[in-house]
Amino acid sequence: MHSIVYLRVPGASLVLDARGAGVPSFLHWGADLGALTTSQRESFALSQLPPISPSSIDSPRLLSILPVESEGWSGTPGISGFRGGQPTELSFELVGAEVPDAASATFMLRDVSSELIVELKYGLSPQGVLAMTAVVTNTGSVPWTLARLGISVPIPTRAREVLDLTGRWAFERQPQRRDLAHGTWSRQTRHGRNGHDSPELFAAGTPGFAFRAGEVWVLHLAWSGDHDMLAESHATGQSILGAAELLKPGEIQLAPGEHYSTPTVLGAWSDSGLDGISERFHSWARAARARPLAARPVILNTWEAVYFDHDFSRLAELARRAAVVGVERFVLDDGWMTGRVDDSRALGDWTVDPVRWPRGLHPLVDHVHSLGMDFGLWVEPEMVSLDSELARTHPEWILASAQSWRNQYALDLGNPEAFANILGQLCALLDEYDIAYLKWDQNRDLLGGSTHRQTVASWQLMAALRSRYPGLEIESCSSGGGRVDLGVLEHTDRVWASDTNDPLERQVIHRYTSIVLPPEVIGGHVGERIAHTTGRSTDLSFRLATAFFWSAGIEWDLTSTTDDDLASATLWIAAYQRHRGLLHSGTVVRVDAADPALQTHGVVAPDRSEALFAAVCLTAPRDAASTGLVFPGLDIDADYRLDVLDLGAPVRHFHGSPQWLRDGGVTLPGRILSGTGIAWPSLQPQQALVMRLERL
Ligand code: DGJ
């Protein structure tokens, strides 16, 4: 009754063998295989069958879409669980398949003995992103406890290297690589949020795959809770990437008739390295937004400027100066609630401090609006301080945890009364004040309770607010970059990439955060000369160039800056406003550096008519003079004019600049700029030169 399912979009395809009553198996995920007749599909299926190995099951092994032990799979099971305290032996058969078009398919599997139905959905987007979900329903008469339900995809033998991301506070999304040997490389995170070490992506590729080279397969779990990501290779010759929500024992109990859905797992394949993956994810994320993003406003965030020291005159002057330099959104960070003079109290009481704000926030909000900016406010709706009215009135709403963390506890948002209370408090604020933007923080690991329930509830709270206040924008922050994924971005408009505003750290954080996330949703701010998180001192030009490419903002006390600094900020904002259309719609490119000290990244317009690039010197370069500053992605048959973009502050060089720079730019064919390149400028460490290229 079923057939070989061939999902195909330009540049990518998925082929599944759904013939017969068995669970469909993967024949291919990767390049587009071209138009195939029915008989060619059958020949292809035949050609992919491996031999039967010695000491093996008596049929050829192909990875099924729901691999379990009973089919001869000895790797991580796609599904596992218990009924009545006993592990259930699972063995599925295909009971239904729908292939409504050339890009999507749904398969219905029934477990022959345990009374479960699993529905797996595959959708290949026009951008080549494979969206996958699984739903298990308990069709039996007694409860069934789910241990794991995940998505597994095959990777070929040639994908022998694995890249994933890790990190810590103020040092998020650091790459780590390894050879894929026999065994499982697994990243299980138990934070009750993504965490700073979140494996935001798992990539497997051909040896040496890089930003612009190699064939690579990537999975991303669009989920803001605990992750279970893996790359697994077996002596049988089978290798997989896998992604699932990590569940605690007994966390998901399905009563008869109940179901559990996995978060969406997003996959992408590229034969042009990680940049090819980014191109797919970015264009998918842009097209998938329910509400297209407006031009990303320049933000001033008050956190590092004043911390908890909320004083109207000081903030009013900060706002005045922000408006003078061209800031478009003023965001009042933590410290505005009743008694919130430090981080030990008041979470849960979303009321304005009557002592420091006797007339509420109105004077500040009105002042900000009168200066032509919109107003944003920090909140942390999922949390509660013991020293708060909320905790005193409803101690039963506090999620049990033996550990306080930043002096705070999580609120049990899965409790409908707690949820309604917080929603009510936030609505009261949004009704009273004209607030365009909430900076939504989450500053602790849960360390107890159900992460699943809490994550679902926090997304629901965001969704409830956005449906009541359709214009409201939300930023996802979690002690910096502890909640960054494409799932939370269905409910939010920006992520705070990290609490570090040190541009040297940010260069790496941006480079890797933007493999999956498009640049316009990644918040990057210009901080003080001496970074608060690292104590490192950097020039203004480096800070400006580093924040320029993202959703840009300022987190710097403009009331204590020089007039020169304000003039620089003004020029920088004007340049950002001129170029954000390109920065936030183009194709992100990153050069694989010959010398790791010298990095190049850029954005090329979809029609390749213009591009912006940054040449960045991170640390002392190996050579006194380097060749090959290249600008990939240009139209190789056209000529381009390259000019340095003045961001308002001088860039420091070691000694004499190359002639093209002293001439103020150069005109060359795209073929040369993209290929051979030009002489590197002699940038000092922690300097960046931003250049604009225009097709002639
Ligand atoms: C952590 C965030 O990442 C910071 O930007 C700031 O909002 C503080 N919390 C406020 O408590």
Side-chain angles (χ1 to χ4, degrees):
M1 85 180 164
H2 307 300
S3 62
I4 294 171
V5 175
Y6 184 21
L7 305 186
R8 188 179 168 218
V9 296
S13 72
L14 174 73
V15 191
L16 300 161
D17 189 347
R19 295 172 297 180
V23 177
S25 49
F26 288 98
L27 292 169
H28 168 80
W29 173 39
D32 178 10
L33 302 178
L36 295 176
T37 61
T38 307
S39 81
Q40 283 172 322
R41 290 178 195 196
E42 282 177 3
S43 303
F44 175 66
L46 199 77
S47 72
Q48 298 308 299
L49 286 180
I52 296 171
S53 314
S55 187
S56 166
I57 55 168
D58 294 328
S59 52
R61 292 171 190 268
L62 281 175
L63 181 73
S64 89
I65 58 173
L66 195 64
V68 290
E69 192 181 354
S70 61
E71 45 180 62
W73 172 247
S74 52
T76 302
I79 184 168
S80 56
F82 302 81
R83 201 185 282 282
Q86 297 300 314
T88 35
E89 300 284 332
L90 297 170
S91 178
F92 290 92
E93 61 182 5
L94 179 64
V95 291
E98 281 173 27
V99 187
D101 51 49
S104 51
T106 302
F107 302 100
M108 191 81 84
L109 310 178
R110 186 181 59 207
D111 175 48
V112 292
S113 54
S114 279
E115 299 173 317
L116 298 174
I117 293 278
V118 180
E119 188 184 81
L120 287 127
K121 277 185 194 282
Y122 297 84
L124 195 52
S125 80
Q127 303 82 17
V129 169
L130 184 58
M132 297 166 276
T133 52
V135 182
V136 58
T137 304
N138 180 6
T139 51
S141 52
V142 291
W144 187 71
T145 305
L146 174 66
R148 183 179 194 275
L149 178 60
I151 296 290
S152 311
V153 291
I155 48 171
T157 309
R158 62 187 180 280
R160 295 216 322 268
E161 264 179 43
V162 179
L163 165 80
D164 68 300
L165 305 182
T166 181
R168 58 174 169 76
W169 178 76
F171 192 63
E172 293 89 339
R173 281 169 293 287
Q174 304 295 313
Q176 51 182 7
R177 292 183 84 114
R178 68 205 61 244
D179 288 338
L180 183 56
H182 287 165
T184 305
W185 171 241
S186 147
R187 294 284 318 282
Q188 295 192 334
T189 55
R190 292 181 177 80
H191 299 294
R193 52 176 171 171
N194 307 56
H196 298 104
D197 62 349
S198 164
E200 186 192 331
L201 61 86
F202 251 58
T206 46
F209 76 88
F211 279 105
R212 301 207 53 88
E215 195 180 3
V216 56
W217 290 256
V218 171
L219 289 189
H220 167 78
L221 185 69
W223 179 239
S224 304
D226 292 341
H227 281 46
D228 178 3
M229 307 283 290
L230 56 89
E232 194 167 272
S233 174
H234 295 274
T236 56
Q238 288 174 299
S239 299
I240 63 165
L241 288 176
E245 175 187 5
L246 183 71
L247 298 170
K248 294 178 183 172
E251 188 172 358
I252 301 288
Q253 297 235 22
L254 299 178
E258 285 187 344
H259 69 271
Y260 162 88
S261 307
T262 63
T264 304
V265 176
L266 298 167
W269 165 86
S270 150
D271 60 358
S272 53
L274 293 165
D275 277 2
I277 296 290
S278 295
E279 194 171 345
R280 293 198 194 281
F281 276 129
H282 295 180
S283 48
W284 178 88
R286 286 168 180 160
R289 283 200 75 82
R291 194 180 68 184
L293 281 179
R296 297 295 73 214
V298 182
I299 283 178
L300 183 130
N301 180 289
T302 61
W303 181 240
E304 289 197 349
V306 303
Y307 291 105
F308 292 102
D309 186 10
H310 282 202
D311 168 75
F312 172 72
S313 332
R314 187 167 169 206
L315 287 164
E317 178 59 7
L318 186 59
R320 192 189 67 75
R321 287 185 172 228
V324 166
V325 300
V327 166
E328 297 159 309
R329 172 170 289 166
F330 184 88
V331 180
L332 185 67
D333 209 285
D334 195 358
W336 56 269
M337 306 96 73
T338 306
R340 181 81 172 165
V341 292
D342 57 32
D343 65 15
S344 68
R345 54 180 64 81
L347 296 176
D349 297 345
W350 301 104
T351 52
V352 180
D353 188 356
V355 176
R356 289 170 302 158
W357 298 100
R359 289 194 289 138
L361 294 175
H362 289 291
L364 184 65
V365 175
D366 292 348
H367 178 61
V368 164
H369 286 152
S370 74
L371 292 164
M373 297 181 288
D374 66 31
F375 184 79
L377 191 65
W378 176 93
V379 289
E380 195 177 359
E382 300 152 71
M383 294 292 153
V384 57
S385 311
L386 292 187
D387 185 359
S388 67
E389 279 312 302
L390 189 80
R392 282 184 279 274
T393 323
H394 290 290
E396 75 282 9
W397 290 352
I398 301 173
L399 263 188
S401 167
Q403 307 290 338
S404 101
W405 180 303
R406 205 198 188 209
N407 304 308
Q408 66 192 55
Y409 291 82
L411 194 64
D412 181 9
L413 274 189
N415 175 327
E417 287 176 16
F419 184 97
N421 178 296
I422 298 298
L423 178 62
Q425 291 198 57
L426 295 176
C427 288
L429 276 171
L430 292 163
D431 289 339
E432 181 168 1
Y433 300 103
D434 182 0
I435 294 171
Y437 181 81
L438 290 179
K439 175 178 176 179
W440 186 298
D441 211 342
Q442 199 283 29
N443 280 302
R444 68 161 287 164
D445 284 10
L446 293 186
L447 306 179
S450 166
T451 295
H452 179 81
R453 172 176 148 124
Q454 187 76 356
T455 307
V456 169
S458 59
W459 280 11
Q460 278 171 349
L461 189 56
M462 294 172 188
L465 285 174
R466 292 243 301 208
S467 90
R468 280 197 202 190
Y469 305 90
L472 179 71
E473 290 203 351
I474 300 179
E475 173 177 41
S476 169
C477 170
S478 183
S479 327
R483 191 185 265 169
V484 169
D485 64 86
L486 287 173
V488 80
L489 277 163
E490 282 178 32
H491 309 289
T492 57
D493 305 274
R494 187 189 206 232
V495 299
W496 183 225
S498 175
D499 267 354
T500 188
N501 291 315
D502 179 333
L504 188 62
E505 307 297 348
R506 279 290 188 139
Q507 283 289 336
V508 179
I509 292 169
H510 292 158
R511 200 174 180 82
Y512 287 92
T513 304
S514 65
I515 293 177
V516 172
L517 267 57
E520 62 272 23
V521 300
I522 300 173
H525 291 172
V526 176
E528 304 265 351
R529 184 174 63 80
I530 298 181
H532 293 203
T533 49
T534 60
R536 186 183 283 122
S537 173
T538 51
D539 284 355
L540 181 55
S541 63
F542 189 44
R543 288 179 275 141
L544 295 173
T546 300
F548 185 70
F549 285 77
W550 315 99
S551 171
I554 292 177
E555 198 163 332
W556 174 19
D557 184 2
L558 294 181
T559 65
S560 60
T561 49
T562 64
D563 288 348
D564 280 355
D565 285 348
L566 291 181
S568 297
T570 309
L571 269 167
W572 172 75
I573 290 177
Y576 172 80
Q577 289 166 334
R578 262 198 322 279
H579 296 294
R580 63 186 156 193
L582 164 61
L583 290 170
H584 298 162
S585 67
T587 307
V588 171
V589 293
R590 288 149 291 213
V591 177
D592 296 301
D595 176 349
L598 300 176
Q599 300 282 346
T600 310
H601 67 94
V603 179
V604 180
D607 67 359
R608 294 182 292 174
S609 59
E610 57 173 335
L612 286 159
F613 273 88
V616 185
C617 180
L618 297 176
T619 55
R622 190 189 55 199
D623 303 324
S626 297
T627 57
L629 171 58
V630 293
F631 305 88
L634 301 179
D635 178 352
I636 56 173
D637 296 320
D639 288 344
Y640 285 84
R641 174 67 195 169
L642 179 156
D643 289 301
V644 171
L645 195 67
D646 181 7
L647 291 187
V651 177
R652 278 194 284 155
H653 299 260
F654 267 123
H655 46 74
S657 294
Q659 189 61 44
W660 68 262
L661 191 50
R662 279 185 276 142
D663 291 347
V666 64
T667 300
L668 279 171
R671 185 183 304 276
I672 293 177
L673 289 164
S674 288
T676 305
I678 59 177
W680 259 86
S682 50
L683 296 169
Q684 288 189 357
Q686 292 151 43
Q687 300 290 322
L689 191 72
V690 177
M691 291 150 285
R692 174 165 186 269
L693 295 105
E694 186 176 3
R695 188 166 57 195
L696 298 176

